[in-house]
Amino acid sequence: MIHQFKAKKMAELDFEFDITLTSDKRVYCFIGKNGIGKTQLLEQMVKSLLFSHTFFNAKDNTATYTGLF
């Protein structure tokens, strides 16, 4: 589970994120006006989780996306 997440502003990212989530919750809800970056926050969190998975750290370079699903 993610308890703290930071993302710096880059070319494909319009926003800079620095959030801390409490560890005693099972569900989080992000609420706010349109255009403040809720979807970009979730997309960056998914990318971080996906590409930090041990599947992508394979030493023999045999990792394929089809192995994930």
Side-chain angles (χ1 to χ4, degrees):
M1 175 180 270
I2 295 175
H3 297 290
Q4 186 171 9
F5 183 78
K6 291 182 182 183
K8 294 187 178 189
K9 193 171 184 177
M10 298 179 292
E12 72 275 0
L13 183 61
D14 294 332
F15 301 93
E16 193 168 297
F17 301 106
D18 185 1
I19 64 167
T20 302
L21 305 172
T22 58
S23 60
D24 61 341
K25 305 288 186 233
R26 292 181 59 198
V27 177
Y28 298 93
C29 181
F30 298 103
I31 300 172
K33 296 180 181 180
N34 290 342
I36 63 169
K38 297 178 301 290
T39 301
Q40 284 194 8
L41 170 64
L42 295 175
E43 287 174 351
Q44 294 304 315
M45 290 173 84
V46 167
K47 287 179 186 178
S48 295
L49 287 172
L50 180 65
F51 292 113
S52 66
H53 191 277
T54 56
F55 176 79
F56 287 99
N57 295 329
K59 300 275 190 255
D60 58 1
N61 296 324
T62 59
T64 62
Y65 285 109
T66 57
L68 288 174
F69 306 102

